[in-house]
Amino acid sequence: MKGGLLIKRGRLDDGLALLRSALGELRETGSVLRYGAFLGVLAEGLAAAGQAGAGRATVDEALALSERNEESWCVAELLRIKGELILLENAPHAAAAAEDHFWQALDWARRQGALSWELRAATSLARMWRGQGRGKEARELLAPVYQRFTEGFESIDLRIAKRFLEQLDKHRT
């Protein structure tokens, strides 16, 4: 957790080193609890460090591990992360592949009733759509998810979504 926090605070080298060390220890002890989710955090850190390809390989490992262990609780978030990494790689057809992953993430989150991960997936897809000039569709996707929240409005994900919706509204008029 501390490694992920360091990454979020911009201390990429320290955070990546700590995460890799912790994941190594988990691997050695055979503890797989939350291992896939921590691989997702590592993948995001690698992408932030300019290593999107390594991040994508890491999230693929996490998805395979989740399937192998029938541990699906974090699949929605892992699929969202993979979509973001695909966009960063900017390969041909990246937008279509990323959109597919965002939709899969939304589907997983909705089936599991994971509203926070649904918000994150909707925000990622809406952000991509806005970049494609599809602001109206972006708002129509994100606003209903945001409106289902009744608490936690100071959380980073809700603040990001609110700010994004305000930007979409500003450019709509």
Side-chain angles (χ1 to χ4, degrees), residues 105-147:
L106 280 164
D107 181 55
W108 271 95
R110 287 173 177 158
R111 283 188 284 136
Q112 293 176 326
L115 185 56
S116 289
W117 280 344
E118 183 180 348
L119 179 73
R120 294 185 100 199
T123 301
S124 289
L125 182 53
R127 187 179 299 119
M128 187 187 83
W129 281 353
R130 182 189 62 185
Q132 296 172 337
R134 298 166 62 186
K136 181 178 184 234
E137 291 170 88
R139 187 174 204 312
E140 289 171 355
L141 172 71
L142 184 56
V145 177
Y146 179 82
Q147 291 166 356

Side-chain angles (χ1 to χ4, degrees), residues 4 9 25 30 36 40 44 48 53 55 60 67 74-76 93 101 114 119 122 127 132 146 166:
R9 291 182 175 167
E25 288 177 29
E44 288 183 304
D60 283 339
E67 184 176 331
C74 62
V75 169
H93 311 292
H101 281 82
L119 179 73
R127 187 179 299 119
Q132 296 172 337
Y146 179 82
E166 289 169 350

Side-chain angles (χ1 to χ4, degrees), residues 1-71:
M1 299 280 247
K2 185 176 180 182
L5 183 60
L6 289 170
I7 288 169
K8 295 280 186 199
R9 291 182 175 167
R11 293 181 50 199
L12 298 176
D13 292 338
D14 294 336
L16 289 171
L18 191 55
L19 255 176
R20 284 182 174 129
S21 174
L23 286 166
E25 288 177 29
L26 288 174
R27 196 175 300 124
E28 285 176 20
T29 63
S31 175
V32 293
L33 182 65
R34 296 193 178 148
Y35 191 83
F38 287 127
L39 283 174
V41 174
L42 177 62
E44 288 183 304
L46 289 166
Q51 301 172 43
R56 187 163 170 200
T58 301
V59 80
D60 283 339
E61 177 186 349
L63 285 163
L65 181 68
S66 293
E67 184 176 331
R68 195 168 50 250
N69 294 339
E70 296 180 8
E71 187 179 18

Side-chain angles (χ1 to χ4, degrees), residues 88-104:
L88 284 175
E89 288 182 310
N90 203 22
H93 311 292
E99 183 168 344
D100 181 57
H101 281 82
F102 295 147
W103 278 117
Q104 287 180 55

